Amino acid sequence: MDKFLVYGNPIAQSKSPAIHQMFATQTEQAIHYEKCLSTKESFVNDVNEFILAGGKGANVTAPFKEQAMAMCDQLTERAKAAGAVNTLVFSAGQIKGDNTDGIGLVNDLISQKVEISNKKVLLMGAGGAARGVILPLLAQNPSQLILVNRTMAKAVTLAKCFDSPNLQVISFADTENHAFDLIINATSASLSAALPALSTNAITAKTVCYDMVYGKQLSPFLLWCQQQGAKQVIDGLGMLINQAAESYFLWRKVKPDCETPLNTLRAELTAAPSKGKS
Ligand code: NDP
């Protein structure tokens, strides 16, 4: 049976094994998928040992996405643009690296019927998650993709990595002069129950608000957006499942359906007291 792993630290909270087993059942394939708690010191060795043991591929989550990238013989354009790898494919003695986070976000938005093309989009954050979604978002041809980050210099540096006239950076103070069709929170503010300093002017009755964080309840950011009268609020559970579906496709050449796993995990999340991410 083909073997797969997800590396992370911490990793106990990972839903990836459950998601991939659901994909395997749905596509009538047999795979073995486990969690691996790694360390910065042991990560490279852990991956090489898994390859020697016959591993076919792996997912990589924090804090190993950059280390994983450095190990790859080949990288996809979206992995290069993201500067990080969340999917490894082991084949013919080579390690191929991809990043499926951005396409996971875009596919989740598409499945939730959120339009990106010709829309004015605000992306909050300038960390790894924000960087990973910029190229896939630009590929959807928004009229504007505007970056905002608490530390503005990081957003300016990030925007320089992408050669696009549709990409610009503003400060949080400037958000009072804009209204957006879509606002994506790629900050980790919700994990500490903090709110980004977004102006209420940014949200209208036409605005869709997305938080990459997910949990049992709506995040503080999505609750605040609801209070401002946003049209729709969406959390990051669908992004998690869609990025996994893209990894599964890279490994198994078959695209699983995300709706049933999303409903299953949503029900589990609603019933359980805990919070988490990939
Ligand atoms: P990083 O640590 O790389 O970046 C964190 C970002 O959040 C920075 O831009 C930082 O700003 C900003 N930030 C942190 N606290 C605050 C605050 N109180 N107010 C405003 N901005 C703040 O994290 P990642 O980019 O890797 O991850 C971001 C989030 O996305 C995480 O919550 C993660 O769980 C989630 N995620 C979800 C995925 C999914 O599949 N659903 C996939 C990947 C990530 P500054 O630069 O000023 O410090």
Side-chain angles (χ1 to χ4, degrees), residues 125-129 149-151 154 186-189 191 194 212-213 236 239-240 277:
N149 192 49
R150 182 177 59 181
T151 311
K154 280 199 212 168
T187 76
S188 48
L191 295 179
M212 289 191 187
V213 169
M239 175 179 174
L240 174 72
K277 62 155 282 203

Side-chain angles (χ1 to χ4, degrees), residues 118-131:
N118 289 317
K119 299 296 179 189
K120 186 169 168 180
V121 180
L122 180 70
L123 179 62
M124 300 195 295
R131 180 171 175 167

Side-chain angles (χ1 to χ4, degrees), residues 18-221:
I19 295 169
H20 283 281
Q21 286 304 343
M22 282 189 257
F23 290 159
T25 304
Q26 184 200 116
T27 57
E28 299 183 337
Q29 298 197 355
I31 65 163
H32 187 81
Y33 190 115
E34 282 184 18
K35 300 170 194 177
C36 179
L37 179 69
S38 193
T39 64
K40 291 219 169 193
E41 294 71 32
S42 71
F43 177 73
V44 170
N45 198 40
D46 291 345
V47 173
N48 284 327
E49 278 187 3
F50 184 51
I51 294 171
L52 282 175
K56 297 288 182 198
N59 283 129
V60 183
T61 188
F64 304 119
K65 290 183 179 182
E66 287 79 15
Q67 261 182 293
M69 182 167 173
M71 288 186 76
C72 291
D73 301 297
Q74 296 171 49
L75 289 168
T76 60
E77 284 307 311
R78 59 194 187 190
K80 285 182 202 164
V85 152
N86 78 335
T87 307
L88 297 170
V89 182
F90 310 133
S91 170
Q94 298 260 299
I95 304 178
K96 184 176 171 186
D98 200 349
N99 190 310
T100 65
D101 284 334
I103 194 68
L105 168 72
V106 167
N107 285 345
D108 187 36
L109 288 167
I110 291 170
S111 73
Q112 311 233 25
K113 309 214 174 340
V114 178
E115 288 180 39
I116 306 170
S117 173
N118 289 317
K119 299 296 179 189
K120 186 169 168 180
V121 180
L122 180 70
L123 179 62
M124 300 195 295
R131 180 171 175 167
V133 301
I134 291 175
L135 194 67
L137 283 172
L138 285 171
Q140 297 297 311
N141 298 312
S143 59
Q144 280 178 284
L145 178 59
I146 296 181
L147 291 187
V148 65
N149 192 49
R150 182 177 59 181
T151 311
M152 194 176 166
K154 280 199 212 168
V156 171
T157 304
L158 182 57
K160 282 183 185 152
C161 302
F162 298 85
D163 182 24
S164 170
N166 286 351
L167 185 62
Q168 72 179 88
V169 177
I170 63 172
S171 66
F172 270 112
D174 282 343
T175 60
E176 72 172 14
N177 302 312
H178 295 263
F180 296 95
D181 299 299
L182 172 61
I183 299 175
I184 299 164
N185 185 9
T187 76
S188 48
S190 291
L191 295 179
S192 53
L195 279 176
L198 183 65
S199 165
T200 53
N201 294 353
I203 298 177
T204 72
K206 292 180 182 167
T207 310
V208 176
C209 299
Y210 195 103
D211 198 333
M212 289 191 187
V213 169
Y214 61 84
K216 184 176 166 70
Q217 278 105 18
L218 280 184
S219 68
F221 172 68

